Amino acid sequence: MPLDYQPILLPNPGRTTAVTLVEYEARGGYAGLKKALEKTPDEVTAVVKDAGLKGRGGAGFPTGLKWSFVPKMPGPKYLVVNADESEPGTFKDRDIMEVEPHTLIEGVAIGSYAIGCELAFIYIRGEYTVAGDRLNAALAECKKAGLLGQPSQLKKADGTPFVLDIIVFLGAGAYICGEETALIESLEGSRPMPRSRPPFPAVAGLYMRPTVVNNVETMANVPFILDKGVDAYKAIGNPPNNTGPKIFCLSGHVKKPGNYELPLGKITLRQFIEEYGGGTPSGRPVKAVLPAGVSAPIIHSSQLDAVMDYDGIKGAGSMLGSASFIVMDDSVDMAWAATRMVEFFRHESCGKCTPCREGTNWLEKTMFRILEGKGKESDLETLQFVSKQIAGNTLCALGDFATSPVTSSLKHFKDDYLLRIGKKSDRAAE
Amino acid sequence: MTLSAATVTAIHAEVARYPSKKTALLPALKLAQKDRGWLSKETLGEVADLVGLPHSHAVELATFYAMLFTEPVAPVRVEFCIQLPCALAGAEAALDKAAKLLDVEMQGTHGTRHGHTKDHQIELHGTVECYGACHRAPMCRVGDDYVENLKTDDDLKKLVGDLKIRAQQAPGH
Ligand SMILES: Cc1cc2nc3c(=O)[nH]c(=O)nc-3n(C[C@H](O)[C@H](O)[C@H](O)COP(=O)(O)O)c2cc1C
Ligand code: SF4
Ligand code: FES
């Protein structure tokens, strides 16, 4: 039985047009912003902290805590929304921006007030031109209605006008721009290569000023928290570690792919695939699932009873990350699947650190050789060796990501490789 | 000068828009590409001059981003996503069928494959980047437009018909 749950991030499943300001306000939109402006910025940050909201961009860092790191110094501070969404299997931020642009804008306005930002950026991957156009249209509606501007018609708790402009900025095709310091470099007009830390963006980010980078979905959670309160928010999900709603992207071998907004921690992976996804189109059993796009270890079908939240997916040996679930039935050769993922990382490595630049090349060449039937057993050792050289030795997490399809497929599905290199003649599954 | 007056005006507006003029470089390059189709050395220099930065800065960005082209491209550029979710939904077969219908011979192996029609008006690419449309796979991008749910032969025939019309309407045909 599907859960009895009223979605708050994507309350209009199936809708393909943007919700207008009139529609948004009719369902109580911008009440969260108005309530936030009655509080002090620190109180707003405290509310978000208490709510237990964790970043939805992948790392799951507590959002209120991140905001509290911003120093209280005079001068510009920036809120930058990460809408680069380029993780294979991920299409949730796109849906929020295309259909619910005002939810994001309201979240950005609340976050900007909390950290003292008067100019915020929404950095969208270059391919999402529709999302960009719709956000710009929604921003124009807000300016006209006096909700945004230099100054807006809204008043802050201290009696002064609320001041905020939001700039929509489109990238030009590069997965690395999703990494927050590369994103900042891209916004500054430099080659988007990750920075070494410290300094952290909270202290010296965009234009070397204090900067918060948050994911689209993270920001979309904020209006509800301010409007309905911490208790209402905590009633959703599985507190303390897994509070709130989550959009789960579902793709691959399922009958009904799409975005499903559900409370964290209420169903198992098996229920998700069967009850929401409708099972595999072929009717064949599930062989493996990727829970965080191609960037976290593959989950073996023996783990399908894992609960869909941060802790549950971790317990299954992987990570919830962006919650992009890619399902594969037992017809899939995991050596082939892992190769496709490695091709992605080889293509997207920014080239700044040697282990990632050279290592992803080496992995790809070795995988190609195996796929082409020219592999040897020693190639499997090479894959393990190269993965070990990359993991933990790079400037950003892309290096680690690149190794996880390789090491996890070798761990759970070594037979698929042995078959390719002629060391095994029969597919166990067939 | 290769850029139109309208593009120059739009680039000036970008330069005035951000706290730092350097931020305007990427939007300016995209505007220039929209105008010219691709970014020649000459165009890159012009853009850098308009933004007020050394030419090398423009080259650095243009050679990094997948959506910026430093070589001429066909008027109709088609990118089929064949990253894992799309591949599981039959993207590679869809790309092959589209190539066949267009009489395009594909080159390359694995994820990155490409080819063009004999008149060079349409180019087809298989790309390993996901475009955030995996739930509507197979899909492709035609220029900036998403064409999704290419599930049946009829969907592909319709796509190919649209591509041919676009190619005919392209400037310089
Ligand atoms: C290679 C790489 C790609 C990333 N891509 C994205 C992305 O597309 N969107 C995103 O929100 N975060 C992405 N992240 C995570 C960001 O660096 C950052 O943690 C996140 O935007 C913080 O927002 P949150 O706290 O709201 O999750 C990526 C990280 C890495 C290392
Ligand atoms: S790990 Fe890879 S993507 Fe990240 S900074 Fe190093 S080379 Fe660039
Ligand atoms: S994998 Fe093709 S659009 Fe995502």
Side-chain angles (χ1 to χ4, degrees):
Chain A
M1 275 291 288
L3 292 177
D4 180 21
Y5 168 71
Q6 281 296 326
I8 59 178
L9 307 170
L10 294 173
N12 297 293
R15 179 166 172 157
T16 55
T17 58
V19 167
T20 63
L21 178 58
V22 171
E23 286 176 278
Y24 187 61
E25 287 192 310
R27 67 169 209 239
Y30 290 102
L33 173 61
K34 286 167 191 159
K35 286 181 193 171
L37 293 176
E38 289 165 8
K39 301 181 195 298
T40 66
D42 285 349
E43 284 166 357
V44 174
T45 301
V47 168
V48 173
K49 223 190 230 176
D50 288 348
L53 171 62
K54 286 191 192 172
R56 304 301 198 221
F61 193 83
T63 306
L65 188 62
K66 187 184 277 192
W67 295 2
S68 73
F69 292 155
V70 175
K72 310 242 172 311
M73 59 205 243
K77 300 179 189 87
Y78 297 105
L79 179 78
V80 179
V81 177
N82 190 341
D84 193 56
E85 190 164 72
S86 308
E87 180 66 46
T90 315
F91 37 82
K92 64 191 178 67
D93 298 342
R94 176 183 171 195
D95 229 6
I96 294 174
M97 293 187 285
E98 287 187 357
V99 182
E100 306 289 347
H102 285 289
T103 311
L104 173 59
I105 292 169
E106 186 179 359
V108 175
I110 295 167
S112 296
Y113 175 61
I115 67 159
C117 156
E118 297 188 347
L119 179 64
F121 290 86
I122 302 177
Y123 183 103
I124 309 182
R125 66 177 296 178
E127 293 88 350
Y128 282 2
T129 54
V130 173
D133 290 346
R134 291 187 183 179
L135 274 168
N136 275 320
L139 287 168
E141 287 179 304
C142 290
K143 271 201 128 155
K144 209 167 150 211
L147 293 164
L148 294 176
Q150 307 269 353
S152 72
Q153 286 166 24
L154 301 176
K155 290 265 184 295
K156 301 193 281 194
D158 65 5
T160 61
F162 174 59
V163 178
L164 179 65
D165 265 334
I166 301 175
I167 292 181
V168 170
F169 190 95
L170 268 83
Y175 171 70
I176 195 59
C177 290
E179 194 285 331
E180 60 184 16
T181 60
L183 186 155
I184 289 170
E185 291 285 320
S186 178
L187 256 183
E188 289 183 354
S190 300
R191 261 198 174 200
M193 291 181 163
R195 294 179 179 170
S196 53
R197 280 149 282 206
F200 287 91
V203 178
L206 183 60
Y207 309 128
M208 295 316 273
R209 301 290 311 169
T211 302
V212 163
V213 181
N214 271 134
N215 171 258
V216 170
E217 186 187 353
T218 310
M219 297 316 289
N221 272 264
V222 172
F224 181 93
I225 295 171
L226 269 294
D227 182 25
K228 305 286 192 248
V230 168
D231 291 341
Y233 188 76
K234 280 190 160 166
I236 306 168
N238 201 4
N241 273 342
N242 301 283
T243 318
K246 183 77 195 80
I247 302 172
F248 298 100
C249 306
L250 183 58
S251 68
H253 284 153
V254 284
K255 284 192 190 137
K256 292 184 283 179
N259 283 317
Y260 295 90
E261 180 190 333
L262 296 165
L264 278 164
K266 293 292 171 194
I267 58 168
T268 65
L269 197 42
R270 188 189 308 282
Q271 281 174 299
F272 184 49
I273 295 168
E274 284 170 10
E275 290 171 21
Y276 292 85
T280 61
S282 61
R284 301 174 73 122
V286 171
K287 176 170 181 172
V289 181
L290 286 151
V294 301
S295 291
I298 301 166
I299 294 180
H300 188 268
S301 61
S302 62
Q303 301 290 314
L304 290 184
D305 290 318
V307 170
M308 304 263 293
D309 64 17
Y310 293 98
D311 296 334
I313 300 298
K314 201 170 162 198
S318 192
M319 270 169 59
L320 186 63
S322 52
S324 321
F325 289 79
I326 307 170
V327 177
M328 288 170 271
D329 73 18
D330 70 355
S331 68
V332 177
D333 171 357
M334 297 308 290
W336 165 81
T339 305
R340 189 53 50 84
M341 299 186 247
V342 166
E343 281 186 87
F344 176 77
F345 291 114
R346 199 275 305 146
H347 186 264
E348 300 297 341
S349 166
C350 83
K352 188 166 177 172
C353 14
T354 313
C356 171
R357 185 185 62 242
E358 301 302 325
T360 51
N361 249 314
W362 199 355
L363 287 177
E364 188 189 63
K365 273 200 195 116
T366 312
M367 301 286 274
F368 281 172
R369 196 160 58 228
I370 294 170
L371 272 204
E372 286 157 10
K374 297 174 200 146
K376 301 186 293 283
E377 219 162 351
S378 62
D379 284 331
L380 304 188
E381 282 152 40
T382 304
L383 292 175
Q384 297 280 19
F385 171 77
V386 176
S387 298
K388 220 178 236 161
Q389 297 303 309
I390 302 174
N393 294 324
T394 57
L395 195 54
C396 87
L398 188 144
D400 296 345
F401 295 169
T403 66
S404 80
V406 180
T407 51
S408 63
S409 62
L410 277 170
K411 182 173 165 197
H412 298 304
F413 305 102
K414 195 168 177 189
D415 281 358
D416 287 4
Y417 287 86
L418 293 175
L419 202 79
R420 287 278 182 176
I421 58 179
K423 289 286 169 194
K424 201 171 183 320
S425 54
D426 218 11
R427 287 275 287 282
E430 281 168 355
Chain B
M1 286 294 281
T2 62
L3 297 172
S4 71
T7 302
V8 171
T9 309
I11 290 177
H12 283 311
E14 288 295 327
V15 174
R17 193 167 180 220
Y18 308 103
S20 151
K21 66 182 180 187
K22 207 172 160 197
T23 296
L25 185 55
L26 183 57
L29 289 168
K30 291 173 78 175
L31 286 165
Q33 179 165 289
K34 199 152 223 167
D35 184 340
R36 304 300 307 163
W38 65 289
L39 299 167
S40 65
K41 224 175 143 190
E42 195 190 357
T43 305
L44 287 171
E46 265 179 72
V47 173
D49 289 342
L50 285 167
V51 181
L53 291 167
H55 292 195
S56 59
H57 280 47
V59 176
E60 272 189 20
L61 298 203
T63 51
F64 191 92
Y65 290 103
M67 290 171 73
L68 298 180
F69 309 127
T70 51
E71 310 257 322
V73 291
V76 182
R77 184 182 158 93
V78 187
E79 294 171 333
F80 267 81
C81 169
I82 51 170
Q83 189 41 254
L84 188 59
C86 281
L88 293 170
E92 281 162 298
L95 172 59
D96 287 340
K97 275 183 201 158
K100 204 165 165 217
L101 288 168
L102 285 163
D103 198 17
V104 167
E105 214 172 290
M106 297 296 283
Q107 293 164 21
T109 50
H110 302 286
T112 12
R113 295 195 298 140
H114 59 94
H116 55 75
T117 51
K118 298 206 168 57
D119 61 3
H120 289 261
Q121 288 296 101
I122 303 174
E123 56 183 53
L124 282 184
H125 295 264
T127 58
V128 293
E129 300 142 79
C130 160
Y131 297 127
C134 338
H135 52 327
R136 300 175 191 151
M139 64 81 67
C140 66
R141 289 175 71 240
V142 181
D144 272 346
D145 300 329
Y146 277 50
V147 185
E148 303 174 321
N149 294 310
L150 296 167
K151 292 186 205 294
T152 65
D153 285 359
D154 284 346
D155 296 333
L156 288 164
K157 275 184 202 146
K158 182 170 177 307
L159 167 75
V160 165
D162 291 345
L163 294 178
K164 286 181 177 162
I165 293 170
R166 280 192 192 232
Q168 247 153 30
Q169 289 168 347
H173 188 77

